[in-house]
């Protein structure tokens, strides 16, 4: 309890420093919002060890580290050439953030169609503070969650995306969040707001990448709203360094007949917690949540998803595949909530973990809460090792034992990667998987 | 080419092979028959290098090399091919990719370059005809959802592509309809030449009408209790195994 209190104080202290740097902007409406979020945070504190939502994830390493808030100025020196390998051949609409700052020179927003806004959030709230603040207040995102409250308290920048009615965007939008070499010991709270109006469709990728090797903390939040018949493919690729902490919050509201597909790809981070909450509030909405995570060394990867079927005829499909090596640990909690009015709901969940060492571990907790009677809900979980018979079969055809294991592991991951519709992203992800196969600690165990 | 001397093997402490002696020369076809549970698959798997089996006594030489010291993949690259009694399903790995990887491993071992895509496709087309295999099976994951007969045919197809020096067929004829049986036998006969040998495990004399063995051995309770020419198979068909006990 005492430690808890200390870490809350640490963040409050950082807030004060952050506030000092704001100078004249302290009295703005946006800042009043930050202060409100901070006081919420002060009240909520951090989740304690008894908190059911955090049962398998110990936050003490994160809370015991002191993270400083933003720098005063955007870091300089990063060039296009430094980030090319993380992009999709520069064919995408691109917003680049470095240590929390939007960097227009590295971004690319040429040839945006009409009725499409892709901008830095800070630009938007600096010019139109009032609508932004009232929207945030109505959203009530930070009243009951420590990390969301912190995200709002340290609100600085992120992406603002609005796709107008009927616009079908064919190029993906890529949001790149870099931690630069100067990010050691720093924290960043990117906040993205994504709106797809009636019948709009888009693909949005968020990539989180460390260019540094020291510890840093990313506490990201994306708010997504899909109007009637809107369609969004939303990717979250996290490959931060193995000393870093990552909390990702994705909160989705879906109106009638909208389609939301999330693909969560976690490779990096010492401790990662991804929360996805989708609310199907309009009839006939469809949600797909896919996830792939790959842990090595001492990584801890926690995926927590909540699908709220609020009304009838909604569909949700969820598939998480986890590959855990060495002493890494995975957690999967997936709640499917079907409210009384949500008749004819069709919900399917499956989460599978492949343990590649004796010390790797997975805790999984599927949860169905069903208050309607005419529904189809299924869930399944598997925990397994590579199939010995399959390995022998491949070896008996001349394939090297290591290669055989890699082929089977790759095939396990492919259940998710094959669903990535942006080919350059799929290639990036596949090369991250293959790179893991080459790391020293990999597969040094008797199978 | 293959010399098995006093081979004893056990699994989980149970001795299954209790002293096998077998010599296969270049170009010869040997058949092994014997009742269920006598150890035929155990022998085939030990020769292919399955690690669950512990060889407790005896030795095996393959072209002068100590086979028991070689990893399964080395044996395969050196020309040993086991057509499995129960081919394994490999989800997510397509037949084509699997075969190409296997073939290239062998070529690498032989000091050859990787096969180029066009040549590989031509080779696949040619061998597909031999075993009359359906094209659609090539792009599916290895054996996944294949019918029993399709799995067996796929084994022979792989064998045709990899061209082993010693092909071990473990009951490849079981579960095949009469046409498929002929096709499988045809696949073996096309491959067979004066340098290539086969060890064919079967329960049915029928197969040996198509694949004519030079020798027939009866495996019983972990030992070869009788060896003879191809007429021994007919005799077994007639009398069963009881008289050999
Ligand atoms: N893991 C194991 N533990 C114990 N016994 C085993 C194990 N695996 C195989 N055996 C036994 O070894 C014996 C030989 O099995 P094998 O599969 O070699 O027989 P087979 O001659 O091929 O029979 P079939 O004609 O039915 O294919 C059988 O009695 C079998 O039960
Ligand atoms: Mg058998």
């Amino acid at each position: 309890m005492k430690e808890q209190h200390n870490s809350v104080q640490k963040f409050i202290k950082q807030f004060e420093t952050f506030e000092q740097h704001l100078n004249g902007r302290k009295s703005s409406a946006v800042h009043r919002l930050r202060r409100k979020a901070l006081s919420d945070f002060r009240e909520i504190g951090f989740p304690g060890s008894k908190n059911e939502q955090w049962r398998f994830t110990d936050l003490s390493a994160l809370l015991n580290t002191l993270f400083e808030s933003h720098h005063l100025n955007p870091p300089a020196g990063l060039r296009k050439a430094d980030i090319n390998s993380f992009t999709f051949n520069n064919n995408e609409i691109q917003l680049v953030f470095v240590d929390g700052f939007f960097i227009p020179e590295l971004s690319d927003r040429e040839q945006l169609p009409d009725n499409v806004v892709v901008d830095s959030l800070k630009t938007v709230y600096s010019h139109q503070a009032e609508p932004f603040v009232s929207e945030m207040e109505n959203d009530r995102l930070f009243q009951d969650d420590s990390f969301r409250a912190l995200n709002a308290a340290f609100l600085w920048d992120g992406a603002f995306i609005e796709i107008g009615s009927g616009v079908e965007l064919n190029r993906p939008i890529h949001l790149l969040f870099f931690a630069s070499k100067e990010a050691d010991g720093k924290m960043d709270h990117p906040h993205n707001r994504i709106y797809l109006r009636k019948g709009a469709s888009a693909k949005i990728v968020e990539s989180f990448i460390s260019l540094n090797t020291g510890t840093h903390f990313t506490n990201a939040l994306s708010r997504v709203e899909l109007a009637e018949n809107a369609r969004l493919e939303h990717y979250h690729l996290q490959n931060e360094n193995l000393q870093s902490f990552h909390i990702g919050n994705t909160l989705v509201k879906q109106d009638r007949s909208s389609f939301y597909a999330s693909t969560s790809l976690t490779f990096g981070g010492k401790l990662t917690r991804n929360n996805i909450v989708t609310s199907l509030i309009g009839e006939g909405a469809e949600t797909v949540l896919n996830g792939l995570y790959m842990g090595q060394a001492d990584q801890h990867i926690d995926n927590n998803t909540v699908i709220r079927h609020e009304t009838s005829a909604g569909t949700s499909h969820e598939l998480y595949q986890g590959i855990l090596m060495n002493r890494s640990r995975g957690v999967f909690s997936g709640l499917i909530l079907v409210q009384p009015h949500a008749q004819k709901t069709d919900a399917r969940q499956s989460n599978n973990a492949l343990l590649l060492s004796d010390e790797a571990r997975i805790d999984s907790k599927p949860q169905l809460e069903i208050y309607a009677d005419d529904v189809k809900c299924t869930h399944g979980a598997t925990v397994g090792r590579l199939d010995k018979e399959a390995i022998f079969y491949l070896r008996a055809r001349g394939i090297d034992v290591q290669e055989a294991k890699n082929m089977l592991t790759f095939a396990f991951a492919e259940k998710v990667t094959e669903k990535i519709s942006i080919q350059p992203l799929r290639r990036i992800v596949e090369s991250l998987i293959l790179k893991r196969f080459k790391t020293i600690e990999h597969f040094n165990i008797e199978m | 080419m293959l010399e098995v001397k006093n081979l004893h093997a056990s699994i989980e402490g149970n001795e299954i092979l209790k002293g096998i002696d077998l010599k296969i020369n270049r170009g010869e076809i040997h058949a092994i028959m014997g009742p269920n549970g006598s150890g035929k698959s155990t022998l085939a798997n030990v020769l292919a290098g399955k690690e669950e089996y512990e060889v407790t006594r005896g030795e095996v030489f393959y072209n002068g090399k100590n086979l028991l010291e070689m990893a399964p993949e080395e044996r395969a690259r050196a020309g040993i091919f086991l057509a499995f009694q129960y081919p394994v399903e490999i989800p997510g790995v397509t037949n084509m990719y699997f075969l190409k990887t296997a073939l290239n491993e062998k070529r690498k071992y032989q000091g050859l370059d990787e096969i180029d895509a066009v040549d590989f496709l031509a080779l696949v087309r040619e061998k597909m005809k031999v075993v009359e295999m359906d094209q659609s099976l090539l792009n599916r994951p290895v054996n996944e959802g294949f019918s029993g007969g399709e799995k067996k045919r796929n084994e022979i197809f792989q064998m045709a592509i990899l061209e082993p020096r010693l092909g071990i067929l473990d009951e490849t004829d079981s579960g095949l309809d009469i046409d498929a049986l002929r096709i499988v036998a045809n696949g073996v006969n096309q491959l067979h030449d004066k340098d290539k040998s086969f060890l064919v495990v079967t329960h049915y004399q029928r197969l040996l009408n198509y694949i004519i063995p030079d020798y027939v051995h009866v495996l019983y309770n972990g030992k070869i209790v009788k060896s003879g020419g191809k007429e021994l198979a007919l005799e077994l068909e007639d009398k069963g195994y009881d008289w050999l006990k």
Side-chain angles (χ1 to χ4, degrees):
Chain A
M1 236 27 229
K2 177 115 196 310
E3 274 177 21
Q4 269 263 351
H5 178 76
N6 285 343
S7 35
V8 170
Q9 286 309 316
K10 268 192 292 202
F11 280 91
I12 291 174
K13 194 126 188 87
Q14 284 309 309
F15 181 83
E16 284 159 7
T17 316
F18 168 55
E19 196 170 43
Q20 277 162 24
H21 296 321
L22 292 171
N23 300 322
R25 285 165 292 176
K26 263 191 274 189
S27 53
S28 70
V30 171
H31 196 61
R32 282 200 300 279
L33 184 82
R34 292 194 189 104
R35 298 194 68 111
K36 170 76 178 68
L38 186 80
S39 80
D40 285 338
F41 165 70
R42 196 195 307 261
E43 221 158 89
I44 311 162
F46 284 110
S49 55
K50 298 240 163 53
N51 187 319
E52 186 57 28
Q53 287 301 310
W54 292 86
R55 210 172 107 203
F56 300 113
T57 295
D58 178 5
L59 285 171
S60 52
L62 166 62
L63 302 186
N64 291 338
T65 313
L66 175 72
F67 294 101
E68 290 173 22
S69 82
H70 304 269
H71 321 245
L72 286 175
N73 300 304
L78 214 56
R79 288 159 310 149
K80 276 229 159 188
D82 301 323
I83 65 164
N84 267 344
S85 64
F86 306 102
T87 71
F88 311 149
N89 318 322
N90 289 315
N91 270 329
E92 69 266 47
I93 299 160
Q94 211 170 278
L95 294 187
V96 174
F97 298 85
V98 181
D99 302 345
F101 286 86
F102 174 56
I103 313 289
E105 307 83 72
L106 296 177
S107 302
D108 185 352
R109 286 176 289 164
E110 270 171 43
Q111 295 169 342
L112 276 189
D114 290 345
N115 293 319
V116 173
V117 182
V118 177
D119 210 340
S120 114
L121 185 70
K122 190 157 165 284
T123 308
V124 172
Y125 75 65
S126 303
H127 292 111
Q128 296 166 289
E130 282 313 324
F132 170 77
V133 169
S134 67
E135 170 106 32
M136 286 285 277
E137 278 168 351
N138 290 337
D139 218 4
R140 306 178 65 82
L141 284 180
F142 44 83
Q143 279 84 344
D144 56 359
D145 181 281
S146 356
F147 290 102
R148 289 188 231 152
L150 271 181
N151 178 279
F154 287 93
L155 183 77
W156 183 246
D157 213 343
F160 179 92
I161 297 171
E162 183 176 6
I163 316 291
S165 303
V167 178
E168 292 181 20
L169 201 60
N170 44 29
R171 278 190 304 159
I173 300 172
H174 194 181
L175 313 177
L176 294 116
F177 299 92
F178 290 99
S180 80
K181 296 221 158 60
E182 290 157 49
D184 290 9
K186 298 274 179 359
M187 61 179 170
D188 179 22
H189 303 264
H191 187 106
N192 304 314
R193 302 197 73 82
I194 298 167
Y195 303 92
L196 270 67
R197 307 302 180 199
K198 277 188 189 172
S201 78
K203 298 180 183 186
I204 299 174
V205 182
E206 299 176 20
S207 293
F208 296 85
I209 300 144
S210 313
L211 302 172
N212 60 337
T213 51
T215 186
H216 64 102
F217 172 33
T218 305
N219 178 32
L221 189 150
S222 291
R223 177 43 145 169
V224 178
E225 284 188 28
L226 304 185
E228 237 177 273
N229 291 317
R231 297 180 68 82
L232 177 64
E233 278 181 35
H234 192 191
Y235 299 86
H236 184 112
L237 169 62
Q238 195 256 98
N239 190 29
E240 296 181 325
N241 71 47
L242 296 188
Q243 306 305 319
S244 68
F245 296 86
H246 185 100
I247 307 278
N249 270 295
T250 303
L251 306 152
V252 186
K253 254 194 269 185
Q254 287 187 253
D255 209 333
R256 182 186 295 263
S257 301
S258 63
F259 172 83
Y260 176 74
S262 148
T263 305
S264 163
L265 305 153
T266 303
F267 292 89
K270 175 192 179 74
L271 187 157
T272 300
R273 163 73 170 237
N274 297 314
N275 296 312
I276 302 179
V277 182
T278 58
S279 301
L280 290 74
I281 50 181
E283 273 176 30
E286 186 180 346
T287 302
V288 176
L289 302 185
N290 294 323
L292 170 67
Y293 55 96
M294 206 164 173
Q296 62 171 347
D298 295 298
Q299 281 184 277
H300 181 103
I301 302 168
D302 179 348
N303 282 296
N304 189 297
T305 67
V306 178
I307 300 173
R308 303 177 62 96
H309 286 273
E310 305 281 355
T311 186
S312 61
T315 309
S316 64
H317 285 178
E318 184 166 18
L319 173 69
Y320 271 72
Q321 301 279 99
I323 298 165
L324 297 166
M325 301 176 226
N326 314 128
R327 299 162 305 280
S328 64
R329 207 176 147 184
V331 180
F332 174 84
S333 317
L335 169 64
I336 298 172
L337 174 69
V338 183
Q339 299 285 30
H341 294 299
Q343 301 294 1
K344 306 269 183 229
T345 288
D346 182 351
R348 272 180 263 167
Q349 179 190 82
S350 153
N351 85 86
N352 309 299
L354 186 57
L355 301 183
L356 296 180
S357 94
D358 289 338
E359 297 148 292
R361 174 172 167 182
I362 172 82
D363 290 288
S364 77
K365 204 177 109 189
Q367 258 181 296
L368 298 177
E369 267 183 47
I370 301 172
Y371 302 103
D373 43 28
D374 183 15
V375 300
K376 250 193 290 181
C377 290
T378 60
H379 69 88
T382 65
V383 179
R385 294 175 182 278
L386 291 175
D387 178 3
K388 276 187 189 168
E389 300 294 324
I391 293 172
F392 177 64
Y393 189 80
L394 295 170
R395 295 180 76 185
R397 297 293 176 258
I399 296 167
D400 181 76
V401 60
Q402 189 64 63
E403 180 64 18
K405 291 175 184 178
N406 291 352
M407 274 168 91
L408 296 174
T409 307
F410 196 82
F412 179 86
E414 216 170 20
K415 291 253 184 304
V416 170
T417 57
E418 71 187 6
K419 299 193 165 111
I420 299 175
S421 72
I422 302 168
Q423 290 316 308
L425 174 63
R426 179 168 172 181
R427 279 195 291 279
I428 288 173
V429 171
E430 287 178 345
S431 76
L432 287 173
I433 299 169
L434 295 175
K435 218 153 100 191
R436 282 293 168 93
F437 290 160
K438 297 208 180 80
T439 59
I440 5 107
E441 280 201 277
H442 186 55
F443 292 138
N444 54 359
I445 32 118
E446 279 292 301
M447 301 287 305
Chain B
M1 131 170 312
L2 184 80
E3 199 169 358
V4 180
K5 290 182 181 163
N6 191 28
L7 183 68
H8 289 248
S10 33
I11 185 156
E12 289 166 13
N14 304 312
E15 185 166 68
I16 312 289
L17 300 183
K18 301 170 180 171
I20 304 264
D21 289 284
L22 180 67
K23 189 163 187 237
I24 301 178
N25 294 310
R26 267 182 195 208
E28 288 177 355
I29 297 181
H30 290 237
I32 292 197
M33 304 184 82
N36 294 130
S38 56
K40 302 181 298 296
S41 293
T42 303
L43 175 62
N45 281 311
V46 167
L47 292 177
K50 195 160 189 189
E51 282 157 355
E52 282 85 342
Y53 297 97
E54 193 194 349
V55 174
T56 51
R57 274 168 76 183
E59 34 195 10
V60 181
F61 292 98
Y62 173 71
N63 290 329
K65 278 193 256 177
N66 183 347
L67 187 74
L68 299 176
E69 282 179 354
M70 295 163 74
E73 55 270 37
E74 289 177 71
R75 300 181 196 198
R77 292 170 199 160
I80 291 184
F81 181 96
L82 169 63
F84 284 64
Q85 181 174 5
Y86 304 109
V88 183
E89 301 195 1
I90 319 270
V93 178
T94 65
N95 234 348
M96 278 297 255
Y97 177 73
F98 162 67
L99 263 179
K100 197 169 170 202
T101 312
L103 182 61
N104 280 329
E105 289 285 359
K106 187 183 163 191
R107 291 175 64 95
K108 201 159 68 186
Y109 177 85
Q110 294 172 328
L112 300 170
D113 283 340
E114 291 202 350
I115 190 162
D116 80 74
V118 179
D119 291 347
F120 180 65
L121 225 64
L123 180 67
V124 164
R125 291 240 167 76
E126 178 199 330
K127 301 299 184 185
M128 243 166 48
K129 276 198 207 108
V130 175
V131 295
E132 296 179 23
M133 207 169 83
D134 200 274
Q135 169 108 39
S136 69
L137 297 180
L138 290 176
N139 296 316
R140 278 173 49 187
V142 181
N143 295 326
E144 198 179 48
F146 286 24
S147 76
E150 285 169 345
K151 283 181 183 168
K152 296 296 177 77
R153 224 181 268 213
N154 196 24
E155 294 292 288
I156 299 304
F157 173 62
Q158 292 172 26
M159 186 173 81
I161 296 241
L162 296 173
E163 298 195 335
R165 299 168 75 175
L166 173 64
I168 303 169
L169 277 64
D170 190 358
E171 291 197 32
T172 305
D173 54 334
S174 297
L176 288 185
D177 63 43
I178 197 76
D179 288 337
L181 185 74
R182 192 180 35 74
I183 290 161
V184 163
N186 196 26
V188 171
N189 289 332
Q190 283 212 2
L191 204 60
H192 181 220
D193 63 22
K194 65 178 187 1
D195 288 321
K196 295 199 177 74
S197 314
F198 289 89
L199 182 62
V200 180
V201 174
T202 182
H203 284 294
Y204 306 105
Q205 194 275 330
R206 195 177 60 169
L207 178 72
L208 305 179
N209 288 334
Y210 298 102
I211 304 175
I212 316 287
D214 299 298
Y215 298 94
V216 175
H217 310 278
V218 179
L219 191 61
Y220 190 87
N221 193 17
K223 282 187 185 145
I224 290 180
V225 293
K226 194 162 179 64
S227 297
K230 63 173 190 287
E231 46 319 315
L232 179 55
L234 284 165
E235 201 176 346
L236 291 169
E237 181 106 322
D238 203 30
K239 297 198 214 158
Y241 295 111
D242 274 356
W243 61 288
L244 290 167
K245 274 185 191 170

